[in-house]
Amino acid sequence: MEASERVTVRWWRWRRNALKRRVDVVEAWIVLAGWVLALLGGLIAGLLAAGTVEQAVERQRAESSQVRATVVEDAPGPSPAREASDHRVWGKVRWTAPDGSTHREEARVPARAPAGSTLSVWVNRSGDLTSAPVSGGEAWLHTAMGGALAGFFTGAAVLGATWLTRLGLDRRRMSQWDAEWERIDTRRGWKTG
């Protein structure tokens, strides 16, 4: 006994075929356009997102500067829960901003730092405390991940829309088949189901 072989006809929607319907050709073009748009749209969205993230990182670097701050009061010791992992605590510091104004606020300082000791803090253009700008490696990671995620989600959205369109075309194809079977049944006086 022979095992039945399954014959796959590739590109059947693009070839001449008496059984091919117009909706099959439309579906083939929609699928092709969906894949092309998903790839190109994903690439363009990824590049735009990566550029935007890179500009944000550069803007953060341009707007931040490092200044010397002086501890105003003796800093407390580390809490028992954090003693093993983190040796920085909140302490009051004073610094002079790039515009010459003096600021006083709480910042992360080494545990038990004596009053009068100095440390470096990051400030923005208005002289307020801010986080340190991201390093070169972190900037590259943010740029790459932002671009990859934007590209992936854009491509996925286009392919999802293509899939939904194909579902609609399948429904239309099935309703056309039902109508044709009904017409064949009634013409010959048969009822198949």
Side-chain angles (χ1 to χ4, degrees):
M1 210 178 202
E2 273 183 52
S4 64
E5 292 183 30
R6 181 177 178 188
V7 178
T8 303
V9 180
R10 298 190 190 281
W11 307 102
W12 70 271
R13 288 185 173 99
W14 300 100
R15 297 181 182 175
R16 288 189 171 269
N17 183 345
L19 299 177
K20 179 174 66 176
R21 298 166 186 254
R22 184 174 190 189
V23 71
D24 295 328
V25 176
V26 170
E27 181 181 11
W29 281 106
I30 287 173
V31 169
L32 178 65
W35 277 102
V36 169
L37 286 174
L39 292 173
L40 290 178
L43 178 66
I44 291 169
L47 291 174
L48 289 174
T52 302
V53 170
E54 190 173 4
Q55 287 175 353
V57 166
E58 291 303 320
R59 186 173 51 251
Q60 181 194 23
R61 285 182 181 165
E63 292 176 355
S64 300
S65 60
Q66 197 171 21
V67 297
R68 299 298 292 171
T70 305
V71 178
V72 178
E73 313 175 343
D74 291 340
S79 66
R82 299 184 130 215
E83 192 164 349
S85 63
D86 188 8
H87 297 289
R88 297 183 75 77
V89 295
W90 290 101
K92 291 186 181 181
V93 295
R94 181 183 61 237
W95 69 94
T96 303
D99 64 2
S101 61
T102 303
H103 295 266
R104 188 177 176 144
E105 198 174 325
E106 284 196 350
R108 301 288 285 171
V109 299
R112 296 188 184 92
S117 60
T118 60
L119 64 133
S120 295
V121 294
W122 286 91
V123 295
N124 58 19
R125 286 186 177 171
S126 61
D128 298 325
L129 287 176
T130 187
S131 59
V134 295
S135 66
E138 290 172 329
W140 180 86
L141 180 65
H142 289 193
T143 301
M145 289 302 294
L149 288 173
F152 172 77
F153 286 120
T154 301
V158 170
L159 290 178
T162 302
W163 181 72
L164 289 174
T165 304
R166 285 188 67 197
L167 284 179
L169 289 173
D170 281 342
R171 282 196 194 108
R172 181 176 177 164
R173 184 176 14 249
M174 291 301 153
S175 66
Q176 287 175 347
W177 283 359
D178 288 343
E180 288 176 16
W181 275 113
E182 186 68 31
R183 195 171 53 239
I184 289 171
D185 282 349
T186 56
R187 188 180 318 150
R188 296 203 170 112
W190 303 339
K191 275 299 201 195
T192 58

